[in-house]
Amino acid sequence: MSTLETSNFKDRDSGRSVPAIYPVDGSAKARCVYRQDTGVTFASFNISSFVDVAVGQTTTNFASAFQAAYGYALGAGSKGSSGIRFISSINDTTNSTDLLGWNSNAAADIIISAVLVGDLA
Amino acid sequence: MTTHLFDRLVASKSRLTPVQSQYRVVFENPDDPEACAAILVPDPNWLAAALAGGVLPPIAAYLRDQAKMAKWIAEHPGRSFSWSEVGGAEHPYADPIGPMSEEEAIEYLIKKDLPQQVWAVERNRPYFKIVRAEMVPADRSYRNAWRLAA
């Protein structure tokens, strides 16, 4: 594997630039598309396992841990479903987070679509 | 210097086909006796990396990191943990291990992702079982009442 070393990326036409550290630190470090009722993983990265804790509650364990328990952000939604559905997270640690699926105001098994952004350990 | 685990995961995902595990781990937490049984599902990309070898660190590196984190949290109640507080984590930079069988990979995951009180402490009954995926009920009507069968 070869490595390109640089400190800045610059667009030739517009002249706009971004430091190399920006995509390094700003890109998603973990992601998943996971169906909570069947345990099927449609897509994933940097996840070692999912734990079905209860209806609508899934622990997502990271293969490579994040730097800090409150050092990463979750962006999430529910795929392939209509109605009011959303996802929240609890029990954040550097190694895992619990993703909660909700249908209106009740816990429900949904298809979780999530990305996690932050610095790694 | 050993490549960071994240970079090894990126490389392995681009060249390996995900592997769906035929196993699940059903467990209960002895510290939370009212909770229903939980089911661990191995991630397909992680399992592919485990079977291929050359990607994952030794489980001992994770366990040392867990012990370091638990000690810091116990000594600093109410504070949020960061690896910078303890001089960094070991597992991302540990030398990768060779290929595992699927059974060895499941044992590795039990140690990595299940609470230690589930598998590391000898008790009067087992608190986890490795089962085939098809043995987990598809009907989830009473999911929050599931218990580990004796």
Side-chain angles (χ1 to χ4, degrees):
Chain A
M1 182 165 47
S2 58
T3 301
L4 172 66
E5 289 192 38
T6 185
S7 56
N8 213 50
F9 297 108
K10 183 176 179 182
D11 179 60
R12 190 177 300 157
D13 297 327
S14 68
R16 296 169 64 187
S17 64
V18 63
I21 200 68
Y22 185 81
V24 172
D25 283 348
S27 57
K29 297 302 189 301
R31 64 176 185 271
C32 65
V33 180
Y34 178 78
R35 184 169 171 160
Q36 290 181 299
D37 59 350
T38 60
V40 170
T41 306
F42 297 102
S44 66
F45 181 65
N46 191 19
I47 308 287
S48 58
S49 70
F50 301 91
V51 175
D52 168 15
V53 177
V55 169
Q57 184 171 352
T58 302
T59 301
T60 307
N61 292 301
F62 310 126
S64 189
F66 281 89
Q67 174 69 18
Y70 285 93
Y72 55 93
L74 166 71
S78 178
K79 274 192 177 297
S81 58
S82 58
I84 303 171
R85 295 191 176 204
F86 63 98
I87 295 166
S88 58
S89 71
I90 57 170
N91 300 333
D92 291 343
T93 74
T94 58
N95 305 332
S96 68
T97 185
D98 279 14
L99 301 178
L100 307 180
W102 297 88
N103 187 356
S104 296
N105 60 353
D109 289 327
I110 61 177
I111 299 177
I112 286 173
S113 172
V115 294
L116 295 120
V117 180
D119 296 341
L120 292 171
Chain B
M1 185 179 168
T2 304
T3 311
H4 194 285
L5 172 58
F6 183 83
D7 297 338
R8 302 199 301 267
L9 291 168
V10 170
S12 71
K13 183 170 166 54
S14 67
R15 66 183 169 86
L16 299 175
T17 302
V19 177
Q20 299 288 344
S21 178
Q22 57 181 322
Y23 298 112
R24 301 287 183 266
V25 182
V26 185
F27 67 96
E28 292 177 350
N29 189 340
D31 289 353
D32 191 4
E34 299 301 316
C36 59
I39 297 118
L40 178 141
V41 182
D43 177 75
N45 289 301
W46 181 91
L47 184 55
L51 300 181
V55 181
L56 303 175
I59 186 61
Y62 280 114
L63 297 179
R64 281 192 291 271
D65 280 343
Q66 287 178 13
K68 200 189 300 186
M69 180 170 67
K71 182 173 183 288
W72 188 92
I73 290 171
E75 292 172 351
H76 300 83
R79 287 182 58 191
S80 177
F81 177 74
S82 168
W83 285 107
S84 59
E85 300 277 3
V86 293
E90 176 185 343
H91 73 268
Y93 299 99
D95 287 336
I97 58 173
M100 289 181 261
S101 67
E102 185 174 353
E103 290 74 16
E104 289 170 332
I106 297 296
E107 290 177 9
Y108 182 113
L109 267 188
I110 288 171
K111 292 180 177 176
K112 178 186 174 299
D113 290 343
L114 263 57
Q116 289 203 9
Q117 60 267 31
V118 173
W119 59 268
V121 180
E122 194 169 336
R123 299 178 188 277
N124 59 0
R125 73 170 176 92
Y127 275 81
F128 73 90
K129 283 187 180 178
I130 302 168
V131 302
R132 291 198 167 270
E134 59 270 20
M135 292 173 69
V136 177
D139 181 355
R140 292 173 64 87
S141 302
Y142 300 99
R143 169 65 187 89
N144 289 0
W146 287 4
R147 306 295 305 202
L148 185 61

